[in-house]
Amino acid sequence: KRMELIPGGRQNFVELVIEFLYGQVEGIVGKHVAPKAFPLLATIFIFILASNWFGLIPGVGTVGFGEKTGPISVDSTHVDAAGHFTFVPLLRPATADLNMTLALAVVFMGVWVYLSIAELGVWGTILHIFGPKGGLQGMLKYLLMPIFIFVGLIEVLSIAFRPMSLSLRLFGNIFAGETLLHTMGELGEKLGLHGWAAFLTSVIFPLPFYFMELLVGVLQATVFSLLCAVYIKLATTHDEEAHH
């Protein structure tokens, strides 16, 4: 809020993060599209990274109301045989919830459609998907048109599946890590330990996996953001740019 001409430590850190992320985005989508795509891609990266690491805070997903009577379910709650919730956590890891990751992917695809049309226009976007590639001219272009249309239909199908693939990849990796940490934390009790021994193992056993999940948190935020950037690049590249 209060930027200084001679930045201090906090401003230097923020500028470092923003400049690094902008350089990565510009290197993928190009200088022309980068100013439009950067706000979304940088926000996605920072939000997913913060959400992934937030889920590693002790108590997130484990402190709540009710009794733990079964394994962790998809929404980080426990249910009994009748299907009633017996444990509801106060805080849940955001990216370990399919609702959140799917919402992120759907929002991105909405912006992807906007950027594609803003860059190429409606007709240009259609031509980009179904039109001839490689600068073909003359009779050969018309002879190969059915093949390009068929490839375009496959591309449309691929685009339709992108929100699900993006969301499931992120959700699966983060939820698996959360489940692993919970399992290692309860391993002492499963082995028959009680009292201080069970408490000690609940701290020691998950500890090595915390460092692994810190790395996974960065990797998954990077993968999600890079894939989004690549999708934008593929959709906004003019044929003459792709040819060069």
Side-chain angles (χ1 to χ4, degrees):
K1 292 182 179 180
R2 294 183 293 274
M3 296 182 63
E4 301 175 355
L5 186 61
I6 302 177
R10 286 185 297 176
Q11 185 173 329
N12 268 326
F13 175 73
V14 172
E15 290 180 0
L16 174 66
V17 172
I18 298 301
E19 289 176 3
F20 171 77
L21 293 177
Y22 191 86
Q24 301 303 308
V25 171
E26 187 179 61
I28 297 175
V29 304
K31 293 184 178 180
H32 180 66
V33 182
K36 304 174 185 177
F38 174 74
L40 174 69
L41 296 177
T43 300
I44 286 176
F45 175 80
I46 295 173
F47 176 79
I48 292 178
L49 179 62
S51 299
N52 292 348
W53 283 354
F54 176 79
L56 300 177
I57 298 175
V60 175
T62 59
V63 176
F65 301 99
E67 180 182 358
K68 299 177 182 179
T69 59
I72 302 171
S73 67
V74 173
D75 58 0
S76 297
T77 58
H78 296 263
V79 295
D80 58 19
H84 299 111
F85 295 113
T86 59
F87 177 74
V88 179
L90 287 173
L91 298 173
R92 295 170 55 191
T95 45
D97 188 330
L98 185 57
N99 295 293
M100 174 61 74
T101 59
L102 185 58
L104 278 173
V106 169
V107 168
F108 162 73
M109 290 305 298
V111 177
W112 176 86
V113 170
Y114 167 77
L115 289 176
S116 301
I117 295 177
E119 186 67 18
L120 302 178
V122 176
W123 181 243
T125 301
I126 295 174
L127 286 179
H128 184 77
I129 297 175
F130 296 98
K133 309 297 189 297
L136 291 176
Q137 298 295 330
M139 184 62 66
L140 184 60
K141 178 177 69 173
Y142 297 101
L143 290 175
L144 295 179
M145 189 63 70
I147 296 178
F148 289 124
I149 293 176
F150 178 73
V151 172
L153 293 175
I154 296 177
E155 178 67 14
V156 170
L157 187 63
S158 169
I159 292 171
F161 276 103
R162 282 177 186 175
M164 188 58 66
S165 63
L166 282 171
S167 58
L168 285 177
R169 182 184 297 107
L170 177 60
F171 163 73
N173 282 279
I174 303 305
F175 181 70
E178 181 197 11
T179 304
L180 175 63
L181 292 177
H182 281 290
T183 301
M184 298 307 297
E186 297 174 355
L187 186 58
E189 296 180 4
K190 298 293 178 62
L191 294 175
L193 301 178
H194 302 284
W196 64 269
F199 174 76
L200 196 61
T201 56
S202 69
V203 175
I204 295 177
F205 286 172
L207 196 57
F209 298 96
Y210 264 94
F211 296 101
M212 183 183 71
E213 289 305 314
L214 286 172
L215 177 61
V216 170
V218 178
L219 289 176
Q220 290 306 313
T222 303
V223 167
F224 194 103
S225 304
L226 284 180
L227 284 174
C228 291
V230 170
Y231 292 153
I232 291 175
K233 171 65 175 178
L234 293 175
T236 57
T237 300
H238 297 274
D239 288 338
E240 58 270 17
E241 293 178 0
H243 181 67
H244 292 308

